[in-house]
Amino acid sequence: MATSSVSKGCFVFKPNFKKRKISVPVENYFNEGKSMSEDIKLRFETYQLIWQQMKSETEQLQEELNKNLFDSLTGFLQKSHLGFLKNSRDWSCQIKLREIPTAALVLGVNVTDHDLTFRSLTESLRNNVTPYVVSLQAKDCPDMKHFLQKLVSQLIDCKDVECKEGKNIQTIQKNTCYSMDFLSSWYRNVTQKTDPKLPSRKRSSSSQCHSPPVVLILKDMESFTTKVLQDFIIISSQHLHEFPLILIFGIATSPVIIHRLLPHAVSSLLCIELFQSLSCKEHLTTVLDKLLLTTQFPFKLSEKVLQVLTNIFLYHDFSIQNFVKGLQLSILEHFYSQPLSVLCCNLLEAKRRTHFLSNNQCENIRRLPSFRRYVENQASEKQVALLTNEKFLKEETQSLLENLHVYHTNYFLVLRCLHNFTSSLPKYPLGRQIRELYCTCLEKNIWDSEEYASLLQLLRMLAKDELMMILQKCCSVFKSSSGKQLGSTAKTIEEFLAQFQNLDDTKEEEGGSGSQPKGFPKTDLYHLQKSLLERKELRTSKKPTKFEVLRGKVVNFIDSLVRDYLLPPETQPLHEVVYFTAAHTLRDHLNASPRIALHTALNNPYYYLKNEVLKNEEGCIPNTAPDICIAYKLHLECSRLINLVDWSEAFATVVTAAEMNADSTISEETSEIIHARFIRAVSELELLGFIKPTKQKTDHVARLTWGGC
């Protein structure tokens, strides 16, 4: 794009839109590395379908869990504002009117989930209480001026404010000092200009529509400056009769923080009511129950993968959003790395897709370890057919997929039944939460563990009322199922309940206790010893009561259900199709190891840059590596204190190793360039935290790390 002009000038070249880079479809990324398969697009579409279904289920669950909290908050705000409207002209209530209605909303330490909660809360309040809802964060309000400025700007941007009013105020705010007087006058003008011809849905018999409250949400109340909070509360209480304000404090720790930040003179100006959100652990249990402990979604997690996700949740952030993102990553990795994940869909669709499996996919099925074990247990004729006849293989695959679906249906029913027993026992031998029991059942045969043996012993000591209550819960669990194999289980439990109700243990115990002596007669030591032996024999030879016999039958029945239906997933053929087991891959993505990553990048830049020139033998320092890599490798050879002069000379030697001959010398300009490159590399290492300046020696730096990694 040269020009033939001989004079100096400025030339404009229009871009060639025809050569614009075309974006690559997302599903094409599945066609890389170990994901090579002819079902790329279908796998990607299946992943999108399953994830969208799980995402919508999670969002619906979040709305249901927040509904009670939002309803109680809405009722509190409406009640507080109606009380203000009724008593606004009563001079005896002027003291009460100086108290700002305040809702202390305790959300927990999962701070990353708070934005979603506040977003839903803001939408709910705007639909049910007032159009004027403002959310502020501490980072945007370092002082009172910025606090009021943010408050005014968000109030102006409210949807229900007319465009003309917004323009007028926006022209005023450049030349206006923000204050509560300005807010009061703005609120008075806005409420007086409300159109009286609004629909009946937006008008109420009271004057709430014409003077709606202003709800101010402080998302992170603990982070606000104490002076800013105190000044705003004191000023707002003086203007409450002109500017009806309601506060909502978002609290992550404890409500005690309010009294720690605000003195009594300020906190007495607040009419505080406490609201508690659902516990993070309870929320996690509900999410697992809706997404994993069900046959609605075919995708499942192995024990190690589920343990990685729950450990990150319990020991790092308590964030449900991060847990769901980890679940999404697991689904994506499963459909990317497993070619047979094309069958990870609902049962009818999976059966249909088996008819269109290619020869390569049939070979992939034969390579599965679970399918190999299944073939080894078959007759010789069937083994030959499974390994040679593709039509027979597809028919058998359909049957195995159906068996896998039935297995999951029965598995989750028996798991919930067993959890009803374990959650009511002392010390919780198999865990208090169902996810703990689920992880144990995924890992091994649960009946081989010592905890399960102690569980059976405790079940054989349950009282009649406790046992009947648990059996009623189990009966409701099995009644909700439409499975064929466990269809009669509910009837069996109902029969047990009927037998318990017909028992009359009191008469039997009275009849049995009448034959025992009430006390020892006055006699010598020999006869006393004889009486004790007789009583011991009577106690050991005592027959069990009808209740004990029936209780033993119930325990044996539950034990048989566990042994029949709680087999680990590894025992099921084709379980690799629906189970994601690459826990190490998930751990590498989610558990950050910055020190290892930095050492790998600086010690072996080829690992990330994939440049063939950077390949070198271990222990060598190539001059083609980035400057920071050369400086890093040289600093590994030094002790705690590094001489900058020696370091610089070694750096220059490595950089110019390929360019210099035995007799050649470096020019002064090249030396200055190398020196500048060395200074930049050292500065970058200091920024990363590998070295620091030291006062012990002026021309030395101190090494902050020791060892290779």
Side-chain angles (χ1 to χ4, degrees):
M1 301 178 73
T3 59
S4 58
S5 175
V6 294
S7 61
K8 294 182 179 180
C10 181
F11 304 93
V12 178
F13 299 97
K14 295 183 179 181
N16 188 358
F17 294 101
K18 295 182 180 180
K19 296 183 180 181
R20 181 177 295 178
K21 185 178 179 180
I22 301 174
S23 59
V24 180
V26 182
E27 60 267 19
N28 286 1
Y29 288 100
F30 270 41
N31 193 16
E32 296 180 2
K34 56 184 178 182
S35 177
M36 291 291 292
S37 174
E38 62 273 8
D39 300 322
I40 301 166
K41 187 175 181 181
L42 185 58
R43 274 192 288 154
F44 182 75
E45 292 175 353
T46 308
Y47 152 72
Q48 284 186 318
L49 178 62
I50 291 180
W51 169 241
Q52 289 300 326
Q53 291 175 351
M54 285 189 170
K55 184 179 179 182
S56 60
E57 186 74 19
T58 306
E59 293 174 352
Q60 183 180 357
L61 176 63
Q62 182 73 36
E63 293 178 1
E64 293 176 357
L65 294 177
N66 288 335
K67 185 177 184 303
N68 294 332
L69 177 64
F70 290 172
D71 289 346
S72 57
L73 261 174
T74 302
F76 167 73
L77 299 182
Q78 291 176 345
K79 180 181 177 182
S80 301
H81 186 58
L82 287 175
F84 166 79
L85 293 177
K86 291 179 181 178
N87 301 324
S88 59
R89 297 182 181 180
D90 188 358
W91 289 99
S92 62
C93 299
Q94 288 300 315
I95 298 177
K96 183 68 176 177
L97 288 177
R98 289 194 176 185
E99 293 185 2
I100 305 175
T102 305
L105 183 56
V106 182
L107 296 175
V109 295
N110 52 330
V111 182
T112 52
D113 295 342
H114 291 181
D115 288 338
L116 180 62
T117 303
F118 283 121
R119 201 178 306 125
S120 303
L121 177 61
T122 302
E123 183 179 356
S124 176
L125 294 179
R126 283 176 177 169
N127 294 333
N128 301 317
V129 180
T130 175
Y132 308 117
V133 182
V134 178
S135 298
L136 298 181
Q137 288 182 304
K139 64 179 181 180
D140 300 328
C141 308
D143 50 29
M144 196 65 182
K145 176 183 177 181
H146 289 85
F147 192 103
L148 292 175
Q149 185 177 2
K150 287 289 181 181
L151 179 60
V152 171
S153 61
Q154 289 196 31
L155 283 175
I156 293 174
D157 293 337
C158 288
K159 294 182 179 179
D160 289 355
V161 179
E162 294 181 358
C163 296
K164 293 182 180 180
E165 296 172 354
K167 290 180 180 178
N168 292 335
I169 295 177
Q170 287 176 1
T171 55
I172 295 173
Q173 62 181 337
K174 294 182 180 179
N175 303 321
T176 304
C177 180
Y178 300 107
S179 63
M180 290 304 298
D181 292 332
F182 173 75
L183 282 173
S184 300
S185 61
W186 171 85
Y187 180 80
R188 192 183 311 111
N189 294 333
V190 170
T191 53
Q192 287 178 356
K193 293 179 180 179
T194 304
D195 189 2
K197 297 182 180 180
L198 288 173
S200 59
R201 182 176 60 85
K202 294 186 177 182
R203 285 188 285 111
S204 60
S205 57
S206 63
S207 58
Q208 182 178 1
C209 178
H210 301 287
S211 57
V214 177
V215 178
L216 174 59
I217 302 175
L218 304 182
K219 294 183 177 181
D220 46 351
M221 190 258 184
E222 294 99 331
S223 302
F224 275 86
T225 308
T226 305
K227 187 175 184 343
V228 174
L229 274 181
Q230 292 180 10
D231 294 345
F232 179 76
I233 292 172
I234 293 173
I235 298 172
S236 300
S237 64
Q238 301 294 331
H239 295 77
L240 196 59
H241 60 285
E242 301 173 352
F243 187 73
L245 179 68
I246 299 177
L247 297 177
I248 297 180
F249 290 158
I251 300 174
T253 54
S254 172
V256 183
I257 194 67
I258 297 177
H259 301 286
R260 290 181 181 176
L261 292 178
L262 305 176
H264 177 71
V266 179
S267 61
S268 60
L269 300 176
L270 304 176
C271 181
I272 304 175
E273 188 163 338
L274 183 63
F275 297 90
Q276 180 77 44
S277 65
L278 185 68
S279 172
C280 305
K281 294 182 179 180
E282 296 177 1
H283 196 171
L284 175 64
T285 302
T286 311
V287 169
L288 288 176
D289 186 67
K290 293 290 185 181
L291 299 184
L292 296 180
L293 303 182
T294 178
T295 56
Q296 179 182 357
F297 305 108
F299 177 78
K300 297 290 179 279
L301 298 177
S302 67
E303 183 270 336
K304 292 183 179 179
V305 174
L306 183 59
Q307 201 67 43
V308 169
L309 292 178
T310 52
N311 286 343
I312 294 175
F313 176 85
L314 294 174
Y315 300 111
H316 287 82
D317 52 15
F318 285 102
S319 174
I320 296 295
Q321 285 188 359
N322 291 344
F323 180 86
V324 174
K325 289 179 181 178
L327 180 61
Q328 181 185 7
L329 178 61
S330 303
I331 301 172
L332 183 62
E333 283 289 339
H334 177 68
F335 280 92
Y336 173 75
S337 60
Q338 177 57 264
L340 291 174
S341 59
V342 69
L343 301 177
C344 184
C345 53
N346 64 75
L347 183 60
L348 296 177
E349 180 64 18
K351 285 185 175 182
R352 188 189 66 82
R353 291 181 181 181
T354 52
H355 293 292
F356 304 100
L357 290 178
S358 63
N359 296 334
N360 293 332
Q361 290 289 50
C362 291
E363 288 300 322
N364 289 331
I365 293 177
R366 294 187 179 105
R367 294 191 191 103
L368 293 178
S370 62
F371 187 78
R372 288 182 178 181
R373 292 192 296 268
Y374 174 75
V375 173
E376 292 173 357
N377 296 329
Q378 304 302 315
S380 58
E381 297 179 357
K382 191 173 182 179
Q383 288 181 359
V384 174
L386 289 173
L387 297 177
T388 57
N389 192 342
E390 292 186 357
K391 182 179 179 181
F392 184 76
L393 174 66
K394 293 178 181 180
E395 294 176 355
E396 193 68 17
T397 301
Q398 291 180 348
S399 177
L400 293 177
L401 290 174
E402 185 175 358
N403 293 340
L404 187 63
H405 177 77
V406 174
Y407 161 79
H408 283 130
T409 303
N410 299 332
Y411 187 95
F412 296 129
L413 290 174
V414 178
L415 181 73
R416 288 190 172 88
C417 176
L418 182 61
H419 175 65
N420 288 329
F421 283 95
T422 58
S423 60
S424 61
L425 296 178
K427 295 184 179 180
Y428 309 105
L430 288 176
R432 186 174 184 178
Q433 302 290 337
I434 192 172
R435 56 177 170 79
E436 300 172 349
L437 178 63
Y438 182 48
C439 287
T440 306
C441 294
L442 289 175
E443 183 181 8
K444 58 185 178 181
N445 293 331
I446 191 173
W447 52 86
D448 294 335
S449 61
E450 297 179 358
E451 292 82 5
Y452 184 78
S454 62
L455 167 71
L456 295 181
Q457 292 180 358
L458 291 174
L459 291 180
R460 289 188 172 93
M461 293 187 290
L462 281 178
K464 177 182 175 182
D465 296 338
E466 295 177 351
L467 190 57
M468 290 183 65
M469 184 175 61
I470 298 173
L471 287 177
Q472 289 174 357
K473 293 180 181 179
C474 294
C475 185
S476 61
V477 169
F478 287 111
K479 279 185 177 179
S480 62
S481 168
S482 58
K484 298 179 180 179
Q485 297 185 16
L486 290 176
S488 61
T489 307
K491 295 182 180 179
T492 305
I493 296 177
E494 288 179 348
E495 292 176 359
F496 282 133
L497 289 172
Q499 293 178 21
F500 277 119
Q501 292 176 355
N502 295 331
L503 287 178
D504 192 1
D505 294 334
T506 56
K507 293 183 180 180
E508 186 174 334
E509 290 177 0
E510 290 177 0
S513 62
S515 61
Q516 296 180 2
K518 295 184 179 180
F520 297 106
K522 294 181 179 181
T523 181
D524 54 3
L525 183 61
Y526 172 76
H527 290 87
L528 179 61
Q529 185 179 5
K530 186 178 180 181
S531 301
L532 287 173
L533 290 174
E534 290 177 355
R535 170 170 283 196
K536 183 178 180 181
E537 293 177 359
L538 182 64
R539 188 185 301 114
T540 54
S541 62
K542 181 184 176 182
K543 294 182 179 180
T545 63
K546 291 183 179 180
F547 167 70
E548 293 173 347
V549 173
L550 187 57
R551 181 175 58 187
K553 291 182 180 180
V554 171
V555 175
N556 294 334
F557 175 72
I558 298 300
D559 183 39
S560 63
L561 287 178
V562 171
R563 293 176 183 270
D564 291 339
Y565 298 107
L566 286 188
L567 296 169
E570 287 78 8
T571 60
Q572 304 301 313
L574 302 184
H575 73 273
E576 296 92 344
V577 173
V578 296
Y579 276 88
F580 176 66
T581 58
H584 62 282
T585 304
L586 194 66
R587 192 181 293 109
D588 292 341
H589 286 301
L590 298 181
N591 280 351
S593 301
R595 185 178 179 185
I596 297 176
L598 281 175
H599 173 74
T600 305
L602 297 176
N603 195 47
N604 184 19
Y606 174 77
Y607 183 83
Y608 290 103
L609 299 180
K610 302 300 180 184
N611 189 350
E612 297 295 331
V613 182
L614 298 177
K615 275 189 174 181
N616 64 304
E617 298 180 359
E618 188 174 356
C620 299
I621 306 177
N623 64 330
T624 55
D627 294 342
I628 187 174
C629 298
I630 298 174
Y632 176 79
K633 284 192 172 185
L634 291 173
H635 113 285
L636 291 178
E637 302 174 357
C638 301
S639 59
R640 190 180 65 86
L641 291 180
I642 305 175
N643 191 324
L644 287 172
V645 177
D646 297 340
W647 196 5
S648 176
E649 292 178 355
F651 179 84
T653 302
V654 173
V655 170
T656 59
E659 301 175 358
M660 288 180 57
N661 298 324
D663 300 332
S664 61
T665 57
I666 304 176
S667 63
E668 183 177 355
E669 182 180 359
T670 305
S671 178
E672 292 179 355
I673 294 175
I674 294 176
H675 186 66
R677 290 167 58 184
F678 171 74
I679 293 175
R680 183 176 63 180
V682 172
S683 301
E684 291 173 349
L685 289 177
E686 182 181 358
L687 179 64
L688 292 175
F690 289 100
I691 59 173
K692 72 171 184 177
T694 178
K695 295 182 180 179
Q696 296 181 10
K697 295 182 179 180
T698 55
D699 57 345
H700 285 65
V701 292
R703 182 177 173 184
L704 298 178
T705 58
W706 195 259
C709 177

